[in-house]
């Protein structure tokens, strides 16, 4: 009895083969290693920050009501501009706002006086969590960023009251429960009724999170957090731990997070028996608009903006080339040495073109390295890698099928033996 003959006669094996084929199709075209030409979360967030020349069509307007910068105190009444501070906060006017210091059992929070008016926004927070004198690196409890339906009084959840309504981004530096590595960034979307369980570090109510070991005592003396929120529910958080320009590491990216319609920005911290300094240095916030003045609704809209702007800039370049050629032609007519001048200009233009091509190729190599892990990952090489991976999965699948087939035969033989023994006893 051949294997293929058995497959033709066995419907279960045919079903398994069909399922395996569907899995392979998914892995080749939809899985992360399929090499689809999509943006990484860090790239998308960079685009939203308008730090690429080809997306000038994205309009950003600073939200000054949530701004925090030095000096922090209003010179007229010596209160913090735009913010209400509660608890054990300490303001060093031209350096930082310290939410907690190296003392036990402190709690503080600060909320913007006005709610966030933007439906799509981007925020960059600069802070510093540090305590180099801590025994064996044991510190507590961390810093939290809040987007709540109303400002909170002092409480025991990183300095705010429990059962909050809105999003909490909790940078937890002390492990209370049994799970995970710390420091850990834990996201919770509260409904106003569900409690955050401090004993388990909020494990039961965790929306998403990431390990962030470099939050504590960063070598750069500060950490930056970039948060991007888009109206349709896109939420992404990056961190820059090392102070190097635009070196962001993505923590979480989610696509179905909906903040309260009225939302206040808050920052808070607390200490227990262990403690640390939590310093807030700066906060900048920007509303994200499309060219028509409406808010960016989705990532798809952003990519459409990029493509439209790129086409526009290509057209501008073509017009500029035509004007340049006309100017060269006019100059050539009025000079005896026009040919020499023209040749010089041609050589310069060719050199500029070569330099541009070199920069483009270097950029493409860098993008391929970031996306595919290989700077020379051409279309052929990517598909060769996919095909080899598919062959590997096919081989594994066939081996699994053969093993299942042999196991099925053994089971049938055992059943047949039992039937024969039973029949002999009855006879």
């Amino acid at each position: 009895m051949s294997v293929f003959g058995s497959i033709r006669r066995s419907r279960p094996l045919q079903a398994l083969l069909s399922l395996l084929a569907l899995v392979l199709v998914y892995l080749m075209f939809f899985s992360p290693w399929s090499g689809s030409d999509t943006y990484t979360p860090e790239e998308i967030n960079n685009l939203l920050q308008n730090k690429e020349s080809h997306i000038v069509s994205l309009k950003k307007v600073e939200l000054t009501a949530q701004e925090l910068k030095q000096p922090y105190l209003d010179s007229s009444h010596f209160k913090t501009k735009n913010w209400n501070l509660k608890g054990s906060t300490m303001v060093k006017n031209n350096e930082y706002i310290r939410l907690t210091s190296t003392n036990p059992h402190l709690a503080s929070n600060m909320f913007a006086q006005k709610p966030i008016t933007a439906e799509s926004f981007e925020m960059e927070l600069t802070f510093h969590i540090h305590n180099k004198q801590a025994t064996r690196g044991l510190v507590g409890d961390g810093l939290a960023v809040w987007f709540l339906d109303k400002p909170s009084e002092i409480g025991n959840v990183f300095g705010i009251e429990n059962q909050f309504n809105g999003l909490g981004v909790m940078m937890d530096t002390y492990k209370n429960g049994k799970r995970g590595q710390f420091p850990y960034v834990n996201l919770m979307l509260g409904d106003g009724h569900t409690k955050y369980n401090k004993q388990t570090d909020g494990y039961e109510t965790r929306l998403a999170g990431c390990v962030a070991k470099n939050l504590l005592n960063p070598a750069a003396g500060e950490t930056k957090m970039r948060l991007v929120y888009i109206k349709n529910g896109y939420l992404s958080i990056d961190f820059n731990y090392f102070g190097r320009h635009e070196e962001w590491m993505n923590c979480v990216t989610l696509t179905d997070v909906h903040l309260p319609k009225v939302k206040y920005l808050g920052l808070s911290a607390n200490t227990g028996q262990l403690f640390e300094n939590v310093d807030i240095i700066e906060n900048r916030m920007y509303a994200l608009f499309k060219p028509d003045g409406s808010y960016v609704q989705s990532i798809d809209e952003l990519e459409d903006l990029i493509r439209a702007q790129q086409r526009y800039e290509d057209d501008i370049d073509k017009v500029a080339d035509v004007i340049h050629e006309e100017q060269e032609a006019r100059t050539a007519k009025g000079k005896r040495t026009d040919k020499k001048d023209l040749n010089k200009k041609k050589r310069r233009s060719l050199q500029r073109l070569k330099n541009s091509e070199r920069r483009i190729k270097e950029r493409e190599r860098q993008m391929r390295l970031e996306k595919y892990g290989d700077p020379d990952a051409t279309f052929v090489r990517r598909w060769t890698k996919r095909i080899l991976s598919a062959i590997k999965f096919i081989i594994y699948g066939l081996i699994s099928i053969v093993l299942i087939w042999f196991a099925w035969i053994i089971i049938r033989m055992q059943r047949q033996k039992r039937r024969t023994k039973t029949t002999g006893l009855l006879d």
Side-chain angles (χ1 to χ4, degrees), residues 76-94:
S76 61
H77 50 68
F78 297 102
K79 290 186 178 180
T80 311
K81 306 169 189 176
N82 303 320
W83 293 78
N84 291 326
L85 277 58
K86 297 177 182 177
S88 53
T89 54
M90 180 182 74
V91 180
K92 205 161 186 180
N93 200 24
N94 292 302

Side-chain angles (χ1 to χ4, degrees), residues 260-271:
K261 189 172 182 180
V262 178
K263 44 193 172 291
Y264 287 84
L265 173 63
L267 308 167
S268 72
N270 73 332
T271 63

Side-chain angles (χ1 to χ4, degrees), residues 146 148 150 152-165 170 188 190 192-199 205:
W146 306 96
L148 305 183
K150 59 183 179 182
S152 172
E153 298 297 327
I154 296 293
N156 62 356
V157 180
F158 291 88
I160 75 154
E161 294 178 316
N162 213 332
Q163 295 176 288
F164 53 86
N165 183 18
M170 292 161 270
M188 176 179 169
H193 305 287
T194 305
K195 285 189 175 183
Y196 172 85
N197 186 351
K198 193 172 183 178
Q199 300 306 314
T205 53

Side-chain angles (χ1 to χ4, degrees), residues 21-253:
L22 290 172
V23 170
L24 288 173
V25 169
Y26 171 79
L27 291 172
M28 288 184 67
F29 294 100
F30 301 103
S31 70
W33 55 267
S34 64
S36 60
D37 295 328
T38 57
Y39 292 103
T40 65
E42 293 91 344
E43 287 171 333
I44 289 172
N45 297 340
N46 280 333
L47 296 175
L48 284 167
Q49 282 201 307
N50 206 10
K51 291 179 179 176
E52 297 288 339
S53 62
H54 59 274
I55 55 162
V56 294
S57 57
L58 182 69
K59 184 180 178 183
K60 294 174 61 175
V61 177
E62 186 164 8
L63 301 174
T64 56
Q66 286 75 37
E67 177 187 72
L68 186 67
K69 63 180 182 180
Q70 303 161 354
Y72 305 111
L73 298 177
D74 190 320
S75 58
S76 61
H77 50 68
F78 297 102
K79 290 186 178 180
T80 311
K81 306 169 189 176
N82 303 320
W83 293 78
N84 291 326
L85 277 58
K86 297 177 182 177
S88 53
T89 54
M90 180 182 74
V91 180
K92 205 161 186 180
N93 200 24
N94 292 302
E95 295 186 38
Y96 52 74
I97 296 178
R98 180 159 289 176
L99 295 178
T100 59
S101 58
T102 52
N103 290 295
H105 307 297
L106 300 177
S108 62
N109 69 49
M110 53 188 293
F111 276 83
Q113 295 171 355
K114 296 180 180 179
I116 299 168
T117 55
E119 295 177 327
S120 297
F121 58 86
E122 168 259 301
M123 172 181 136
E124 188 171 304
L125 175 69
T126 306
F127 61 93
H128 189 201
I129 302 175
H130 57 108
N131 182 1
K132 293 184 178 179
Q133 283 74 43
T135 305
R136 291 181 294 180
L138 292 174
V139 297
D141 284 319
L143 164 68
V145 180
W146 306 96
F147 298 89
L148 305 183
D149 63 340
K150 59 183 179 182
S152 172
E153 298 297 327
I154 296 293
N156 62 356
V157 180
F158 291 88
I160 75 154
E161 294 178 316
N162 213 332
Q163 295 176 288
F164 53 86
N165 183 18
L167 178 68
V169 181
M170 292 161 270
M171 298 170 233
D172 196 341
T173 57
Y174 181 72
K175 183 178 179 180
N176 291 293
K178 297 180 180 179
R179 299 179 177 90
Q181 296 178 313
F182 281 70
Y184 190 87
V185 180
N186 176 32
L187 274 67
M188 176 179 169
L189 196 59
D191 56 9
H193 305 287
T194 305
K195 285 189 175 183
Y196 172 85
N197 186 351
K198 193 172 183 178
Q199 300 306 314
T200 60
D201 301 307
Y203 181 81
E204 302 89 346
T205 53
R206 182 176 296 167
L207 178 66
C210 69
V211 177
K213 292 184 177 180
N214 296 302
L215 279 176
L216 183 63
N217 297 323
E222 64 181 31
T223 303
K224 290 183 181 292
M225 183 191 85
R226 177 174 65 186
L227 183 146
V228 174
Y229 179 77
I230 298 180
K231 185 178 179 180
N232 74 334
Y234 175 90
L235 173 72
S236 188
I237 298 174
D238 301 332
F239 286 95
N240 188 329
Y241 299 110
F242 306 110
R244 292 190 281 268
H245 182 64
E246 295 306 306
E247 188 175 301
W248 295 99
M249 297 177 65
N250 187 249
C251 173
V252 296
T253 296

